[in-house]
Amino acid sequence: MLIKIGRNLRKKLGDWFHQDLLKKQVYVLREELDAVTSAVLKLADTQRNFAWALNKEQKRLHRTLINKALEQLGYEDSGNLISDIARLPGQAIMILIDPKTTFPEDVRKDLEKLVGEKVRFVINTHNQVSILTQAIGRGRDRRKVSIESRIRVAHVPIDNLDTVSISRGRLAQQLTELHVMR
């Protein structure tokens, strides 16, 4: 009789564990967590797409500003030498130019004086690793740069995080449209 009661209790405890605890609480919680995770991932994807759309609009505005500045300086044709542009207002401008293009030094100096920002150039090799290492600065080991194209992330070894390195990383991010991380 005691054995029968023990088996019965074990069965009822097992049934309670599966029916009440797992099905009604743990599985429900797991489903809710899955729904929250899915919503957060969708939100992150939407925010990333919005950020890159804003980046494109900023680039268009920066290009307009630089073309107008070049016009004001009397260098209207120099705007045609620019393939792409990245800018941190008040800090620096990074201009992407084709390998065969030579941007006149006097134009660069006059542009720096007019806008009050450092002007740097990057050669458009059509290779994102090359553009990243040029933009962030020489001395970066190209072999240590990795790009996850699917999620648009570039891992770049940045040892010293001084203000110049941070600024150049942000400019590189604008030029390549990759999120630059250490």
Side-chain angles (χ1 to χ4, degrees):
M1 174 105 133
L2 236 43
I3 295 173
K4 191 174 183 179
I5 292 173
R7 273 192 235 148
N8 194 16
L9 280 175
R10 224 178 296 132
K11 182 179 179 338
K12 285 183 180 182
L13 182 62
D15 290 347
W16 169 83
F17 181 78
H18 288 289
Q19 294 295 330
D20 290 341
L21 188 62
L22 286 179
K23 283 188 178 176
K24 291 182 181 173
Q25 300 201 6
V26 174
Y27 293 151
V28 170
L29 178 63
R30 194 171 99 197
E31 286 174 9
E32 288 176 9
L33 287 174
D34 288 346
V36 168
T37 301
S38 177
V40 167
L41 290 174
K42 285 179 185 176
L43 176 62
D45 193 44
T46 301
Q47 286 179 322
R48 183 180 57 236
N49 290 336
F50 182 62
W52 290 123
L54 282 175
N55 188 53
K56 286 180 194 242
E57 184 61 22
Q58 265 188 323
K59 278 184 173 189
R60 187 188 66 74
L61 292 170
H62 294 324
R63 181 181 283 276
T64 301
L65 173 74
I66 297 308
N67 283 337
K68 292 293 181 187
L70 291 169
E71 255 179 58
Q72 184 175 350
L73 293 167
Y75 303 118
E76 293 87 3
D77 295 337
S78 295
N80 298 330
L81 302 175
I82 299 171
S83 296
D84 201 357
I85 191 165
R87 181 170 175 252
L88 296 175
Q91 294 180 27
I93 298 168
M94 196 166 278
I95 297 174
L96 189 69
I97 58 174
D98 288 323
K100 296 178 182 176
T101 299
T102 304
F103 206 91
E105 183 63 17
D106 57 330
V107 176
R108 184 192 63 78
K109 286 181 180 178
D110 289 346
L111 186 58
E112 280 185 343
K113 285 179 195 171
L114 181 65
V115 296
E117 299 168 2
K118 179 78 175 149
V119 176
R120 293 186 172 96
F121 296 96
V122 172
I123 306 300
N124 189 2
T125 59
H126 301 283
N127 177 311
Q128 288 186 315
V129 171
S130 171
I131 292 170
L132 280 169
T133 54
Q134 288 179 70
I136 293 173
R138 310 208 190 289
R140 303 287 172 225
D141 188 351
R142 292 177 62 175
R143 294 170 297 187
K144 292 183 180 177
V145 174
S146 65
I147 296 175
E148 296 180 63
S149 300
R150 187 180 60 78
I151 59 172
R152 311 233 6 101
V153 170
H155 299 279
V156 181
I158 302 174
D159 300 326
N160 57 345
L161 289 176
D162 59 355
T163 55
V164 173
S165 296
I166 293 169
S167 294
R168 290 179 73 124
R170 290 174 60 202
L171 290 165
Q173 188 167 276
Q174 287 181 37
L175 280 180
T176 60
E177 295 185 353
L178 294 170
H179 181 74
V180 177
M181 299 177 67
R182 290 175 77 188

